[in-house]
Amino acid sequence: MPSFWKSSGMHLVEREKNGWLTVTPDFLRAYYTRPEIHPVEESCEAEHRLFEALMSDPFRAVADEEIAAIRDLDAADNYRVILAFRDHLARHGTIEASYAALFGEGATVSIPPVFIDQMVHLIAHNILRKVADPLRVRAGEILFREQSVTTADGQLMLADAEIVETYSKTGGLGGLGALLAEAGTPTRDVALDVLGDDNKDIYWERSDRFDTAIDFRFTEPALDAFARVLESWIGHFHGVGVRIQPQQSIRDERWSWHIGLDSEATRLLNALYEGTPVDESELGRIAALFRLDFDNRSDSIEAMRGKPVWLGLAVGNDGIMRMKPQNLLTNLPVRRRN
């Protein structure tokens, strides 16, 4: 299978029998060597000592006094954040369990958003590790990276929001482009490659650059590929089989359940369900609709047996799509097993 997303850290973890990912010492070491944590030459002795101790034993207990002894207050705060994350991971044992625990009943999310996105990145790599279709892997980026959405020539284009912002400032020329922009010198326009059947294999060698775009229109392969990603995500966490198909509209006299895959879609679907008038311009923000059916009717709660679940994905006022994959963990009408 082609390799992809080395930046996820998949090579630093191990898979358990149930397919979930074990938190390993090497995985934690990767966090300790982040720039926010790794000591510099000017760091005090206490900071160097703590860093070396954690690199030797990543799960080592750390006393409050050891952190308080660090002279750089910002560095000390960074250690508190990373160790709280470490303790959360150690408490739950796997990346998946640690992620799900953040959104369980009564949970209070206290992990920095960037760490949550990194967990989703790793989990997405896990569920897609044997996928040979680069369009499906690219669609998987929607789970953990914000997408800039544009419409032109009848297309609905999704491109990585961070990459689009960077290119808009540098013209794709990196530091040179930034200098030219500061000097007021026009930079060249940069067009991201749009993946299609004729060129999709370019994705593999560029997967960690996140610099390809997809057409997300109804009937386009990328939309169907994303539906397969959602099926895999649900199967991985809930252990149930589902069929998800893109739809152009919701036509369901027995509309009983829906899930917004982001905050904007949640707001719009709630309004439609309740019969609240919604402007056409607002409806236009819904980028994708899906119908979800359980393979086994008994896997859903009794009230939803034989009924579809409707899913929606929308675009914010700023043209950015921000998916919340945790909504499929907390809001899906799955029957609880004893």
Side-chain angles (χ1 to χ4, degrees):
M1 299 298 297
S3 61
F4 62 96
W5 293 351
K6 185 176 182 180
S7 58
S8 74
M10 187 75 178
H11 59 292
L12 299 174
V13 294
E14 299 172 355
R15 297 185 76 248
E16 297 192 345
K17 289 184 178 180
N18 67 351
W20 287 16
L21 301 174
T22 301
V23 178
T24 65
D26 281 343
F27 181 74
L28 295 179
R29 289 187 182 100
Y31 275 91
Y32 300 152
T33 55
R34 288 174 61 97
E36 302 91 340
I37 295 296
H38 197 295
V40 295
E41 186 176 349
E42 297 79 15
S43 298
C44 67
E45 183 180 348
E47 186 176 347
H48 279 285
R49 186 167 54 247
L50 178 56
F51 173 78
E52 294 300 333
L54 287 170
M55 290 298 288
S56 176
D57 179 6
F59 290 98
R60 172 187 180 276
V62 177
D64 292 340
E65 295 78 13
E66 293 180 87
I67 299 178
I70 296 176
R71 189 168 56 223
D72 185 329
L73 298 183
D74 289 336
D77 285 340
N78 290 340
Y79 268 99
R80 292 187 181 96
V81 171
I82 202 70
L83 289 173
F85 181 49
R86 186 275 308 265
D87 292 344
H88 178 80
L89 292 171
R91 188 160 52 249
H92 296 283
T94 65
I95 303 297
E96 285 87 348
S98 300
Y99 175 74
L102 295 173
F103 308 103
E105 187 174 349
T108 301
V109 178
S110 58
I111 303 299
V114 65
F115 289 173
I116 298 175
D117 289 340
Q118 289 165 354
M119 294 169 75
V120 176
H121 187 182
L122 186 50
I123 296 167
H125 194 166
N126 190 22
I127 67 175
L128 298 173
R129 71 192 185 283
K130 293 186 177 180
V131 169
D133 179 13
L135 274 176
R136 192 182 304 185
V137 179
R138 170 59 182 88
E141 292 180 17
I142 299 171
L143 294 175
F144 59 92
R145 290 188 68 93
E146 296 179 355
Q147 302 293 306
S148 178
V149 182
T150 56
T151 55
D153 301 325
Q155 295 178 313
L156 180 64
M157 304 304 301
L158 269 59
D160 189 90
E162 181 180 346
I163 298 301
V164 169
E165 182 180 7
T166 299
Y167 278 16
S168 69
K169 293 178 180 178
T170 68
L173 298 175
L176 173 60
L179 290 174
L180 292 173
E182 290 179 6
T185 304
T187 55
R188 63 183 174 89
D189 291 333
V190 175
L192 300 180
D193 288 318
V194 180
L195 294 184
D197 288 334
D198 58 337
N199 72 340
K200 61 184 181 181
D201 284 336
I202 67 173
Y203 180 81
W204 298 122
E205 64 182 24
R206 295 165 53 172
S207 66
D208 280 299
R209 288 159 50 180
F210 305 110
D211 64 350
T212 56
I214 50 176
D215 187 351
F216 214 54
R217 284 177 298 169
F218 185 72
T219 74
E220 289 297 320
L223 187 61
D224 185 72
F226 182 65
R228 306 289 81 74
V229 171
L230 296 180
E231 290 172 351
S232 298
W233 180 266
I234 290 169
H236 191 66
F237 276 100
H238 293 291
V240 301
V242 297
R243 289 167 285 116
I244 298 177
Q245 296 298 326
Q247 305 286 313
Q248 287 185 293
S249 61
I250 297 178
R251 297 179 180 178
D252 184 1
E253 294 181 355
R254 298 193 303 161
W255 182 352
S256 302
W257 203 288
H258 61 268
I259 301 174
L261 300 179
D262 59 274
S263 57
E264 188 70 9
T266 299
R267 181 181 68 83
L268 292 170
L269 289 179
N270 285 346
L272 291 171
Y273 179 77
E274 294 165 1
T276 304
V278 180
D279 293 338
E280 286 295 325
S281 60
E282 294 245 289
L283 285 176
R285 291 185 195 157
I286 299 179
L289 290 170
F290 304 92
R291 171 179 171 142
L292 180 152
D293 293 279
F294 288 88
D295 288 343
N296 187 336
R297 292 171 49 149
S298 65
D299 284 332
S300 68
I301 61 174
E302 186 172 353
M304 283 299 296
R305 290 178 184 173
K307 299 179 182 179
V309 176
W310 298 95
L311 311 176
L313 188 61
V315 184
N317 285 328
D318 55 358
I320 304 298
M321 178 185 289
R322 301 177 176 87
M323 186 183 170
K324 297 182 179 298
Q326 65 266 28
N327 290 2
L328 291 171
L329 272 63
T330 58
N331 299 334
L332 198 66
V334 177
R335 178 177 61 86
R336 292 189 177 184
R337 294 174 171 80
N338 295 329

